[in-house]
Amino acid sequence: MLYGMDTHPPAPPTGAASRLHARVLDELGVAICGGGFAPGTVLYVDELVERCAVSRSVVREVLRVLASMGLVEARRRVGTRIRPPADWNVFDPQVIRWRLASDERLVQLRSLTELRAAVEPQAALLAARRASAADAAELVALAAKLWAAAESGDEPGFLSADIEFHRRVLLHSGNEMFAGLRELVAESLTGRHHYHLMPHHPDQRALTLHADVAQAIQRRDGERARTAMTALTQQIHDEMKDGWEPSGG
Amino acid sequence: MLYGMDTHPPAPPTGAASRLHARVLDELGVAICGGGFAPGTVLYVDELVERCAVSRSVVREVLRVLASMGLVEARRRVGTRIRPPADWNVFDPQVIRWRLASDERLVQLRSLTELRAAVEPQAALLAARRASAADAAELVALAAKLWAAAESGDEPGFLSADIEFHRRVLLHSGNEMFAGLRELVAESLTGRHHYHLMPHHPDQRALTLHADVAQAIQRRDGERARTAMTALTQQIHDEMKDGWEPSGG
DNA sequence: GCCTTGATTACGTCTGATTTATGGGCCTAG
DNA sequence: CTAGGCCCATAAATCAGACGTAATCAAGGC
């Protein structure tokens, strides 16, 4: 009488898919952000109940969440329509992940990189004013750890230290919205690494600039922190530009 | 109590689908973002069913949406816990609106203003490279309209032209994430106006800078567009600083 | 003292019925 | 033939109740 009596559960206990909601949400999110449905396409609850083999409650809750992300819009008597990409909440972490998994990943990475170039210098400036002494000291230590990881060729250690460094600058900017971008920067760096848009042996100049940012923040020199971070994000931007401008525009 | 009258709600304005879902979502969102529940507080579905006088489906769908915003986290056998503000999706338009309606509105406005100061100059730079000729021309026209509205003392016209100007610069930056901030800038300007943090007779220098930005974008002078927009956002920041630093820090 | 085990609990999922509002067809009036 | 209002089929919105599931906590055994 219950679900799946005759059809064995598709996900054994090993899978994290024990959450139907998460599974269907991810399935639909990937499909929409990946262009699987053209804007204006209409979905129906009953249709999704069949296609995803889950109950109406699961489908409805998923559609509510997608609607709150701006991906779909439910209308009585019509159905649930796919909204155009311009209406999506492009700052929602899930949407960013789905887009990074789609064909548009380079566009998404470019957007993230340009956003970082705008935000991180300002965050460094504010961190120089607002970070506590202990937090500033930890930033210097992180820059040193980054340096060491690069010298010893420890790639995973380098990536995680790099992520942590930028996360903390954003966090200590004292601005909740800058801080809200910290997971996004982590996604960006991971994505850059995953798609091999990163130089394999870290640039010496980048290491120097990380150290400069940390030192300037500790010495409360906001302008220098901003300048160094600008140079850093500019270098990142230049390194990645080849990825989306293959012909060198 | 909340809506005052027991008569029909004054406006079922746009056919915004559900009544109950939107009502309960807003009620809980305002309560959480307004500090009505301390982080760690546990909510229960059955309790909310009683308190809000709606069915389980409505409550569950609302909690799913709140969870996707990072405001709550459901755990089996425990209940649904309020998450700390650091975990909230502070870029979700709903969360921003709830925070602007709370006691933290000045903190939220400061964050928005600092974010604008970081993003809009870069957006102006990119718009100078990427905006179409027609879009650039419309920007110049909007700056002129802004000027005219200021001269004739048309406050509502000034506000709407101001919002539209900044929206379009973000939109024509060619970066989807910058463009995604356009509604947020609208909220920021509206909030600034609503809480009287805006000079009543617009500053002459601000008008000049708007015109400069538009002209620089039309002439494809990215650096000048960025410089002018930096001056503009800096001036906005200075004007509002009195609001959150009353004693002149 | 640590691990196992079982009862308890609140979320998660499923199902069926009912209500609501809305887009389009149809009809009437100008 | 067009404009405006009424009717109805439709799909979402809501309600109500049941059962499954996993995580917690405490009792009991090693």
Side-chain angles (χ1 to χ4, degrees):
Chain A
M1 193 58 78
L2 290 176
Y3 62 93
M5 277 305 245
D6 42 359
T7 68
H8 41 68
T14 57
S18 63
R19 304 252 193 277
L20 291 181
H21 177 82
R23 179 173 70 81
V24 176
L25 180 65
D26 202 63
E27 193 176 320
L28 282 178
V30 165
I32 295 172
C33 293
F37 301 102
T41 305
V42 179
L43 303 176
Y44 304 93
V45 173
D46 295 332
E47 176 193 277
L48 292 174
V49 164
E50 266 192 76
R51 188 188 311 174
C52 304
V54 293
S55 70
R56 278 206 317 284
S57 25
V58 172
V59 170
R60 282 192 51 77
E61 286 168 23
V62 164
L63 289 180
R64 283 282 199 213
V65 171
L66 292 174
S68 92
M69 295 172 176
L71 266 55
V72 304
E73 183 182 24
R75 292 180 69 96
R76 286 183 138 117
R77 158 78 206 196
V78 173
T80 301
R81 276 210 302 259
I82 308 293
R83 297 178 69 180
D87 294 341
W88 299 351
N89 277 7
V90 285
F91 284 86
D92 189 295
Q94 297 238 68
V95 174
I96 290 173
R97 228 168 293 130
W98 291 329
R99 283 182 57 80
L100 282 175
S102 78
D103 293 339
E104 298 290 318
R105 84 173 56 89
L106 284 181
V107 174
Q108 178 69 60
L109 271 177
R110 195 194 67 169
S111 300
L112 285 170
T113 306
E114 285 176 1
L115 183 71
R116 288 186 58 190
V119 165
E120 292 203 52
Q122 198 73 10
L125 174 82
L126 293 176
R129 285 190 207 146
R130 299 173 180 165
S132 74
D135 291 337
E138 279 186 29
L139 267 180
V140 175
L142 260 173
K145 187 176 167 189
L146 196 72
W147 191 297
E151 262 196 351
S152 60
D154 176 11
E155 252 192 87
F158 181 85
L159 181 62
S160 70
D162 197 14
I163 289 176
E164 194 58 22
F165 181 88
H166 290 278
R167 278 170 53 102
R168 293 212 187 182
V169 172
L170 290 168
L171 197 57
H172 299 142
S173 70
N175 180 313
E176 59 196 351
M177 302 195 77
F178 287 1
L181 296 174
R182 62 195 187 281
E183 294 313 318
L184 179 153
V185 168
E187 295 277 0
S188 168
L189 280 169
T190 308
R192 187 157 73 104
H193 184 263
H194 186 263
Y195 296 117
H196 306 291
L197 292 166
M198 216 165 183
H200 268 282
H201 47 90
D203 189 285
Q204 182 62 35
R205 182 150 170 273
L207 293 172
T208 309
L209 287 171
H210 277 91
D212 285 352
V213 169
Q215 192 185 67
I217 288 175
Q218 190 173 39
R219 296 184 185 178
R220 310 299 177 191
D221 187 345
E223 265 317 309
R224 200 178 129 232
R226 195 174 68 77
T227 306
M229 186 64 97
T230 302
L232 193 48
T233 52
Q234 186 61 47
Q235 187 185 353
I236 294 170
H237 186 274
D238 291 342
E239 278 171 15
M240 298 184 67
K241 200 164 57 181
D242 305 332
W244 54 72
E245 288 176 9
S247 57
Chain B
M1 49 157 91
L2 197 66
Y3 300 102
M5 307 178 202
D6 45 358
T7 61
H8 49 75
T14 60
S18 59
R19 291 191 327 288
L20 294 181
H21 177 82
R23 179 172 71 80
V24 175
L25 179 65
D26 202 63
E27 196 176 321
L28 282 178
V30 165
I32 295 171
C33 293
F37 302 102
T41 306
V42 178
L43 303 177
Y44 304 94
V45 173
D46 294 332
E47 176 193 278
L48 292 174
V49 164
E50 266 191 77
R51 188 191 308 174
C52 303
V54 293
S55 70
R56 281 184 159 71
S57 333
V58 173
V59 169
R60 284 194 47 78
E61 286 168 23
V62 165
L63 289 180
R64 281 283 200 218
V65 171
L66 292 174
S68 92
M69 294 172 177
L71 266 55
V72 303
E73 182 181 26
R75 294 189 59 164
R76 284 185 142 131
R77 160 80 201 197
V78 172
T80 301
R81 276 210 305 258
I82 308 292
R83 298 179 68 178
D87 293 341
W88 299 351
N89 278 7
V90 286
F91 283 87
D92 189 295
Q94 297 240 65
V95 174
I96 290 174
R97 226 169 294 130
W98 291 331
R99 283 182 58 81
L100 282 175
S102 78
D103 293 341
E104 298 289 318
R105 80 174 60 88
L106 283 182
V107 175
Q108 177 68 62
L109 271 177
R110 194 193 68 168
S111 300
L112 285 170
T113 306
E114 285 176 359
L115 182 70
R116 289 185 58 191
V119 166
E120 292 202 51
Q122 200 72 10
L125 175 81
L126 293 177
R129 284 191 209 147
R130 298 172 181 167
S132 74
D135 292 336
E138 279 185 28
L139 267 180
V140 174
L142 261 173
K145 186 176 166 187
L146 196 72
W147 192 296
E151 261 196 352
S152 59
D154 175 11
E155 255 192 83
F158 181 85
L159 181 62
S160 69
D162 197 13
I163 290 176
E164 193 58 24
F165 182 87
H166 290 278
R167 280 170 51 101
R168 295 214 185 178
V169 172
L170 290 169
L171 197 58
H172 298 143
S173 70
N175 180 312
E176 60 197 351
M177 303 196 76
F178 288 0
L181 296 173
R182 62 194 188 281
E183 294 311 320
L184 179 153
V185 168
E187 296 277 359
S188 168
L189 281 169
T190 308
R192 187 159 73 107
H193 185 262
H194 187 260
Y195 297 116
H196 305 293
L197 292 166
M198 215 166 184
H200 268 284
H201 46 92
D203 189 285
Q204 183 61 38
R205 183 152 167 272
L207 293 173
T208 309
L209 286 172
H210 276 90
D212 285 352
V213 170
Q215 193 185 67
I217 289 175
Q218 189 173 41
R219 296 184 185 177
R220 310 299 177 191
D221 187 344
E223 264 318 308
R224 201 178 130 232
R226 194 173 67 79
T227 306
M229 187 62 98
T230 301
L232 193 49
T233 52
Q234 187 60 48
Q235 186 184 356
I236 293 170
H237 186 273
D238 292 342
E239 278 170 14
M240 297 183 69
K241 200 165 57 182
D242 305 331
W244 54 71
E245 287 176 6
S247 57

